[in-house]
Amino acid sequence: MDRVSLTDEYLTILAKGGAKASELVGGQVDSALLNTFYAGKYLSRPLFLGHEEQRLLHADLENLLTALSSLPDRLFGGDFAAFARAVGLTEIQVTAIMKGRGGSMTRQTRADLYADGSGFKLLELNIGSAVGGMDNADMCRSLLAHPHLAGFAEERGLGFVDTLPEQVNNILSESGFGPGDRPVVAMADWPDSFPKMRPYMELLSQRWAELGLPEAHPCHIGQLEVRDGRVWLGEKAVDIIFRTFLIGDLLKSPEAPALMFPVLDAAERGEVQIFTPLDSAAYASKGALAMLSDEANRGLFGDGELASLDRILPWTRMVRPGPVTLETGERVDLVEYALAHREDLALKPTSLSGGTGVVLGWAEDLGAQEWHEQITASLDGPYILQRRIRPTQELFPDETGELRPWTPLWGVFTVANGYGGAFARATPASSGDVVVNVANGAHAGAVFQELAAPSS
């Protein structure tokens, strides 16, 4: 089966049962861990994935990651600093990235995708330790408390990946530790965001302890001290820094490099492991997606990689003057094309997250003059243009039992072991043209998948 047929069957069950949204969300509203981010806003049903859909989507993401990780070698002769500059990072960020680089690109990623009539399309790829949503299995377990979903899941062989154990495995395996090891982990945020993040980090550290990682301690980077050949948090020698501070934090103040660089230097000397190294920020840049999308680079990739890129990656280009090739093969001037087709394009910063700085060309409150100014200001800067995706809306029961359309954004994880599960965020279709994120009122939701191909 596929997501459409599974959804249709489940909505039929809900219609017969007359369940209300508040009954269907289960215990999610009581979860301290989830509510730290989602503030009690949950979708009234999960999204669904058929077995073959999930298999193909994960294969496409793996092919994309393979292609992405090869870009520094294939395009820049192994010069990672040149790659980082080309995807839009500043010199101070490039300097930071080159300190304590990982041996290979992390496999902890979250792909944010829309589903349209042809399949899944990638909006951005979040890579590294700071990706959110890895507590998604708590949503799944809560939803299964309702008999409608529990019965349907059992009948259709539906389940989910518990992503938190995968996160723990990622931390250990990619930092050079084994399952039985007990490293001291500093969960390090940036000082100005730490007060807000601390409650979640404390709850998460408790969950990690249950999963075999008992020595995880929330802190901010300013509380770490480099001395005597180690990094210290108080009197504890730190083995792994679980990094929730971001490459963008370097640009917050003139004092930021002095706060971050001693820790990065210690990692470069092998005195501590950082999960994940800052080089993940270069791979996660939307500028890297533009390189994968660029027709000039198609000869670098094999048939399998190209098939996946063509399925999953929308037309994406750095905002640079000059000619580009469209999906049809037509050559056009990028600026002229962008100005004439704003309804089909989104302008995005290469390295900001959470929808910050995104300009939707089709937004009702955006005029042609403002779009012209935005394009002009972004020329030769860290910005990309990306083809608009028109996502398929999904129906969710409201508090009266009526079905209402929402626009879902799928978040699909890869981990060191392969497929890492998924979750969703969605906004009501009535919200209009907004970036789907929690700041814009999005609700969070679970994803259930067929655990095996249905027998014929």
Side-chain angles (χ1 to χ4, degrees):
M1 300 186 74
D2 59 19
R3 65 183 187 279
V4 174
S5 56
L6 287 166
T7 300
D8 287 345
E9 283 196 10
Y10 187 57
L11 290 178
T12 299
I13 292 171
L14 293 183
K16 292 178 180 178
K20 300 177 181 179
S22 58
E23 300 168 354
L24 294 167
V25 297
Q28 294 175 98
V29 294
D30 301 318
S31 169
L33 185 69
L34 295 176
N35 285 335
T36 306
F37 281 122
Y38 308 122
K41 295 180 178 179
Y42 302 103
L43 297 172
S44 56
R45 69 163 180 87
L47 298 180
F48 299 105
L49 270 177
H51 176 76
E52 181 59 23
E53 283 178 315
Q54 181 270 313
R55 187 204 63 78
L56 179 60
L57 176 56
H58 178 68
D60 284 345
L61 290 175
E62 287 288 347
N63 280 334
L64 183 141
L65 293 177
T66 298
L68 182 64
S69 65
S70 72
L71 287 177
D73 290 333
R74 286 173 165 173
L75 286 179
F76 300 93
D79 187 341
F80 197 87
F83 167 65
R85 292 186 187 98
V87 300
L89 298 178
T90 67
E91 282 303 315
I92 192 69
Q93 290 174 327
V94 172
T95 300
I97 277 175
M98 297 305 294
K99 294 176 178 289
R101 283 193 56 216
S104 59
M105 188 180 80
T106 179
R107 304 309 278 189
Q108 180 164 298
T109 79
R110 190 194 74 221
D112 286 346
L113 311 108
Y114 277 153
D116 66 7
S118 63
F120 288 94
K121 296 293 185 292
L122 181 70
L123 299 183
E124 65 179 33
L125 187 62
N126 305 273
I127 303 178
S129 45
V131 299
M134 302 193 82
D135 47 19
N136 58 83
D138 284 20
M139 301 181 200
C140 297
R141 283 187 282 263
S142 293
L143 289 175
L144 284 172
H146 198 285
H148 286 345
L149 181 59
F152 182 67
E154 182 176 5
E155 179 184 349
R156 285 300 179 189
L158 305 178
F160 57 90
V161 174
D162 191 340
T163 314
L164 274 185
E166 297 296 338
Q167 183 183 47
V168 170
N169 177 68
N170 294 341
I171 295 168
L172 291 172
S173 63
E174 293 192 5
S175 301
F177 293 89
D181 294 332
R182 296 293 183 267
V184 174
V185 180
M187 306 169 70
D189 197 26
W190 200 248
D192 62 0
S193 54
F194 179 60
K196 181 179 180 180
M197 286 294 298
R198 183 171 186 166
Y200 178 82
M201 296 167 77
E202 290 175 342
L203 291 167
L204 183 61
S205 67
Q206 295 170 19
R207 295 291 294 278
W208 283 359
E210 298 168 2
L211 297 169
L213 197 59
E215 285 276 359
H217 306 281
C219 65
H220 63 72
I221 192 171
Q223 294 174 308
L224 299 176
E225 183 182 1
V226 179
R227 57 179 170 83
D228 303 328
R230 298 295 301 271
V231 173
W232 299 80
L233 178 60
E235 296 304 312
K236 289 184 177 291
V238 176
D239 299 302
I240 302 171
I241 297 173
F242 179 83
R243 177 182 64 83
T244 60
F245 59 86
L246 304 173
I247 191 73
D249 291 325
L250 271 175
L251 307 180
K252 287 184 174 180
S253 71
E255 297 77 26
L259 194 59
M260 192 181 297
F261 278 19
V263 170
L264 300 181
D265 289 337
E268 192 168 28
R269 294 190 298 266
E271 296 169 0
V272 72
Q273 297 295 315
I274 296 182
F275 181 85
T276 54
L278 277 171
D279 59 4
S280 60
Y283 290 118
S285 169
K286 300 175 189 69
L289 297 183
M291 292 178 186
L292 294 180
S293 174
D294 194 330
E295 72 284 346
N297 298 330
R298 288 184 67 84
L300 300 174
F301 307 116
D303 291 343
E305 289 171 318
L306 287 174
S308 289
L309 295 177
D310 289 343
R311 266 192 300 269
I312 203 171
L313 187 60
W315 185 88
T316 307
R317 295 293 184 275
M318 293 291 290
V319 184
R320 302 286 184 265
V324 293
T325 301
L326 303 178
E327 300 95 323
T328 60
E330 178 185 2
R331 295 281 284 176
V332 298
D333 178 81
L334 182 136
V335 174
E336 292 179 359
Y337 182 80
L339 296 178
H341 297 83
R342 66 182 177 89
E343 296 83 1
D344 293 322
L345 297 169
L347 177 68
K348 301 180 178 182
T350 55
S351 296
L352 298 182
S353 59
T356 303
V358 173
V359 180
L360 305 177
W362 58 91
E364 291 184 1
D365 60 352
L366 180 74
Q369 180 60 34
E370 185 180 354
W371 178 249
H372 184 283
E373 293 170 357
Q374 293 280 359
I375 294 296
T376 302
S378 65
L379 275 174
D380 291 322
Y383 293 89
I384 57 103
L385 281 166
Q386 190 174 71
R387 180 73 65 203
R388 177 184 184 180
I389 304 302
R390 290 172 169 80
T392 302
Q393 294 178 348
E394 299 237 9
L395 297 175
F396 294 82
D398 67 10
E399 192 55 26
T400 70
E402 294 293 318
L403 297 178
R404 304 294 183 187
W406 290 61
T407 302
L409 178 68
W410 300 68
V412 180
F413 296 97
T414 68
V415 295
N417 286 328
Y419 176 66
F423 83 127
R425 287 144 292 162
T427 53
S430 58
S431 298
D433 297 319
V434 297
V435 178
V436 178
N437 59 31
V438 174
N440 286 331
H443 287 45
V447 175
F448 282 77
Q449 67 193 67
E450 282 186 311
L451 296 177
S455 57
S456 54

